[in-house]
Amino acid sequence: MLRLKTEQTNHVQVDKPSARLSLAFIIVAFASLSVGALAGMLQGMVRGGVIHLPSWINYYQILTAHGVLLGLVFTTYFIVGFLFSGMARTNGGSLTKTALRFGWTGFYTMLIGTLMAAFEIIRNNASVLYTFYAPLKAEPAFYIGSALLVVGSWLAGYGMIANYVAWKKNHKGQRSPLFAYMAIATVALWQVATTPLAIEVLFQLIPWSMGWVPTVNVILSRTLFWFFGHPLVYFWLMPAYIGWYVCVPRIIGGKIFSDALSRVAFVLLLLFSIPVGFHHQLMEPGISPAWKMIHVALTLIVVLPSLMTAFSMFATFETTGRAKGGRGLYGWFKHLPWTDVRFFAPFIGMLFFIPAGTGGIINASNQLNAVVHNTIWVTGHFHITVGAAVALTFYGIAYWLVPHLTGRTLTKKANRVAMVQIVFWSVGMFIMSTAMHYLGLQGVPRRTDYTDYMNNAEALSWIPWQRVMGFGGGLLFVSAVLLIGVLIYLGKFAPKGNEEYPIGETDGEQYTPAILERWPVWLSVLAVLIILAYAMPIMEQIQHAPPGSPPLRTW
Amino acid sequence: MRPDPTPSKKNQEKQVNTDTEPLKGTFTSVLLLGAFIVVCWVAVFALFLNRA
């Protein structure tokens, strides 16, 4: 009976209106990835001293394009598209009309914002990097475009909330599907985390870039940015975790290890990924050491849900492998589906997350941060976190999601090419990030154009490693080309069919405490944590503001 | 009120079976993961101390 139920529930097809909405987001995501990947490869080549850019384009321009297109645009569009598809999949295959309306309004708002920001980057009027740190100043259209990107994502989030509320109304007293629960936790995190960013952009950066006010409070703007910047990492990670917790168990023919543990992990991520921003500002003046220490302590708490995730994944793999006949300490390992890209890609992503998470703990520890702060170590850390753990998981998802949404199938041949793509990406990222970590420990700065520091001997010794970085970047670009090729094939040319949308189930009924779904409780706790962590220091930064800075344009 | 229906006897038995399955590999893996984190952290801290 249980098996029958599983078979039935796993053949739900996302209906056409919902699929169109998800696909729209996913197409923009991968279009921006293709341009962003090209920018990334060029950067690597420049930094390695292999090529020189033509005079009409500068290093910081492509650095900004790379960061914005991959860190903000690719991730946000893919996440919204993926979450909408999963909300539909766990709601009988369809989104409510309200959800679709909010979804499309959000999509067009985001698109207009993205095009405005991209236009200013192309015109070389916004080479302020993806963190748009003041006092570097971009043209107003860049900030307005970024604000629209955020507002659009809010609207899309309201659509998901509307869908969730409708599901709850129709299923009174029932626990929501795990996917929907996790999607709502991600949306909640995004709504809270982007609010200070919107405040920074609307009340500080736009008036300042318009020339309405002569100066900007730099420390306040950075504090507001990192209020957003750290949970941004979790906004990337949580949908990847959804893939790991909900989709991967089904793909490998196993069960979700624990429904309650999965939900607790997401509640902890929601609570503790926000009031921690000062660990990005440990070397900055204007914030007292006590507040920095409080944020560091809270940061170390957010390690817990990631470790819970690691345990849960190992346990799912082990129970599944043992059920298939695996014996001994690690005999279960070889019973996992190693030739299935839907599993292989996220699994490699999980492996990358081990050094990525470790690097995160190092970055967040005060003295260790002094060793690596603003070095290219941080760039390496960033790349194995979002560029490997998250990106590989998203690729693995896209390989079944795109054919599911277009009514096609992931063929064996496409699976083989996709496996090659994942290997290229993994090897390229391993080579590039290892070189970045190694150079960073020697103090090599990040965000720097090619330079030999006037033939300084030590700086010259870095160049070979920078070439290694460029080589890794080249492999990543080849991989990106393969990825786009396979996705176009899956979306347009693959045989028609019903590709499964994998949604895992728990092994029998499991008890999950109802309080985990009482959002007002968790949002109240979150509000208290944010007030405790940020109210006093932000008040100090306003009351004892440093002299404001006029805008700078360094390019 | 708890949202879940009370698990049936059959499911409770299944749950017990799942819980008693060996997770030795998982336990070893998380210990190795923890050790990796500690080793890396100590290594960078040693670098900090050397440079200080």
Side-chain angles (χ1 to χ4, degrees):
Chain A
M1 276 306 283
L2 186 68
R3 180 169 170 75
L4 255 181
K5 188 183 158 203
T6 305
E7 289 301 318
Q8 281 166 0
T9 54
N10 275 295
H11 273 93
V12 177
Q13 177 70 37
V14 174
D15 68 9
K16 280 196 175 162
S18 313
R20 265 199 295 273
L21 177 66
S22 290
L23 265 179
F25 281 102
I26 285 164
I27 288 168
V28 178
F30 283 102
S32 69
L33 179 130
S34 51
V35 182
L38 176 66
M41 182 194 65
L42 290 174
Q43 268 170 261
M45 299 292 174
V46 171
R47 190 76 194 251
V50 180
I51 60 166
H52 294 284
L53 291 172
S55 58
W56 46 270
I57 192 166
N58 83 58
Y59 179 82
Y60 297 99
Q61 193 179 359
I62 55 169
L63 180 56
T64 304
H66 178 67
V68 170
L69 287 174
L70 294 188
L72 300 179
V73 179
F74 165 66
T75 49
T76 308
Y77 277 86
F78 184 87
I79 289 164
V80 174
F82 172 49
L83 296 187
F84 264 130
S85 74
M87 295 295 285
R89 165 64 181 79
T90 53
N91 189 39
S94 58
L95 293 169
T96 61
K97 280 187 180 161
T98 314
L100 285 169
R101 266 200 297 274
F102 270 117
W104 281 112
T105 315
F107 173 77
Y108 286 115
T109 311
M110 285 170 70
L111 193 62
I112 292 166
T114 305
L115 292 174
M116 282 174 74
F119 183 63
E120 291 301 338
I121 295 170
I122 292 167
R123 289 176 66 212
N124 199 20
N125 280 335
S127 297
V128 291
L129 315 187
Y130 95 99
T131 45
F132 40 88
Y133 258 11
L136 289 178
K137 187 193 79 100
E139 286 300 303
F142 174 81
Y143 299 117
I144 296 167
S146 306
L148 285 176
L149 180 65
V150 169
V151 170
S153 69
W154 286 351
L155 293 171
Y158 301 151
M160 290 181 219
I161 292 169
N163 211 69
Y164 174 79
V165 170
W167 189 95
K168 292 291 282 181
K169 265 190 192 159
N170 294 333
H171 301 80
K172 282 205 187 304
Q174 286 186 41
R175 186 176 61 195
S176 62
L178 187 57
F179 190 112
Y181 177 88
M182 290 175 159
I184 293 301
T186 309
V187 167
L189 171 119
W190 187 243
Q191 301 280 336
V192 176
T194 45
T195 302
L197 181 78
I199 292 170
E200 181 203 359
V201 169
L202 284 180
F203 297 104
Q204 285 196 286
L205 300 183
I206 290 177
W208 174 67
S209 73
M210 290 278 197
W212 299 338
V213 291
T215 60
V216 66
N217 180 340
V218 170
I219 186 68
L220 179 63
S221 75
R222 291 185 182 191
T223 298
L224 292 173
F225 180 84
W226 285 116
F227 188 131
F228 153 80
H230 195 74
L232 170 67
V233 180
Y234 286 88
F235 176 66
W236 299 328
L237 276 171
M238 285 161 77
Y241 283 3
I242 295 176
W244 297 358
Y245 274 112
V246 182
C247 305
V248 166
R250 171 72 190 172
I251 290 167
I252 65 172
K255 297 283 179 189
I256 294 169
F257 180 70
S258 164
D259 182 90
L261 181 144
S262 314
R263 290 177 201 246
V264 168
F266 268 63
V267 164
L268 290 176
L269 288 168
L270 174 64
L271 294 182
F272 291 102
S273 67
I274 296 176
V276 299
F278 288 163
H279 79 249
H280 289 262
Q281 298 173 274
L282 288 173
M283 298 298 125
E284 282 187 29
I287 305 165
S288 73
W291 286 113
K292 288 177 179 173
M293 194 187 76
I294 289 168
H295 279 233
V296 165
L298 289 167
T299 308
L300 294 176
I301 296 176
V302 84
V303 175
L304 188 68
S306 288
L307 291 176
M308 286 164 67
T309 304
F311 167 79
S312 191
M313 289 301 109
F314 283 130
T316 298
F317 296 153
E318 184 167 5
T319 46
T320 308
R322 286 197 188 283
K324 290 180 178 178
R327 296 285 173 268
L329 190 60
Y330 280 108
W332 45 273
F333 207 66
K334 63 175 184 282
H335 289 274
L336 298 172
W338 294 109
T339 53
D340 184 344
V341 74
R342 300 174 307 155
F343 163 71
F344 183 69
F347 181 84
I348 300 294
M350 291 174 203
L351 284 189
F352 268 107
F353 195 56
I354 295 172
T358 307
I361 297 170
I362 289 168
N363 297 344
S365 308
N366 188 48
Q367 291 88 340
L368 283 70
N369 187 274
V371 177
V372 299
H373 195 89
N374 267 345
T375 71
I376 203 162
W377 158 288
V378 178
T379 318
H381 163 72
F382 194 84
H383 276 83
I384 54 173
T385 308
V386 66
V390 172
L392 284 167
T393 303
F394 287 0
Y395 302 161
I397 290 168
Y399 283 136
W400 53 257
L401 182 58
V402 169
H404 178 90
L405 297 176
T406 54
R408 296 176 189 276
T409 53
L410 172 62
T411 59
K412 277 187 181 172
K413 202 182 279 180
N415 183 72
R416 270 203 297 274
V417 181
M419 291 287 289
V420 173
Q421 184 263 320
I422 297 300
V423 170
F424 262 83
W425 191 273
S426 309
V427 173
M429 193 60 83
F430 179 78
I431 290 172
M432 188 180 80
S433 64
T434 304
M436 284 173 167
H437 279 89
Y438 176 72
L439 284 171
L441 289 175
Q442 297 178 56
V444 178
R446 66 190 290 209
R447 296 174 155 176
T448 310
D449 198 352
Y450 176 82
T451 174
D452 56 16
Y453 296 89
M454 293 178 288
N455 270 329
N456 175 279
E458 192 178 352
L460 286 172
S461 74
W462 301 337
I463 306 287
W465 280 97
Q466 291 179 186
R467 293 222 166 100
V468 172
M469 273 164 42
F471 177 68
L475 292 180
L476 287 166
F477 182 69
V478 172
S479 175
V481 172
L482 279 174
L483 170 74
I484 299 298
V486 176
L487 289 179
I488 290 173
Y489 170 76
L490 291 174
K492 285 297 243 183
F493 305 107
K496 299 257 181 194
N498 295 317
E499 184 63 38
E500 185 194 14
Y501 196 121
I503 294 288
E505 293 184 347
T506 50
D507 197 1
E509 289 293 341
Q510 292 184 357
Y511 171 64
T512 300
I515 193 166
L516 290 173
E517 198 137 6
R518 293 206 178 118
W519 295 109
V521 173
W522 303 116
L523 291 175
S524 305
V525 176
L526 176 60
V528 170
L529 282 170
I530 289 172
I531 290 167
L532 283 175
Y534 271 115
M536 282 286 285
I538 287 182
M539 205 169 72
E540 281 170 11
Q541 288 174 12
I542 294 170
Q543 283 183 334
H544 308 289
S549 173
L552 294 178
R553 184 175 165 130
T554 53
W555 64 94
Chain B
M1 197 181 85
R2 195 170 92 183
D4 307 295
T6 311
S8 66
K9 198 178 172 186
K10 191 180 164 189
N11 283 334
Q12 277 176 332
E13 280 168 14
K14 189 169 276 186
Q15 190 63 44
V16 171
N17 286 339
T18 308
D19 288 346
T20 51
E21 271 179 12
L23 287 173
K24 285 180 194 165
T26 301
F27 183 60
T28 313
S29 301
V30 291
L31 287 184
L32 288 172
L33 175 62
F36 177 77
I37 294 172
V38 171
V39 167
C40 291
W41 195 95
V42 170
V44 181
F45 188 56
L47 205 56
F48 169 78
L49 291 176
N50 273 338
R51 288 177 183 174

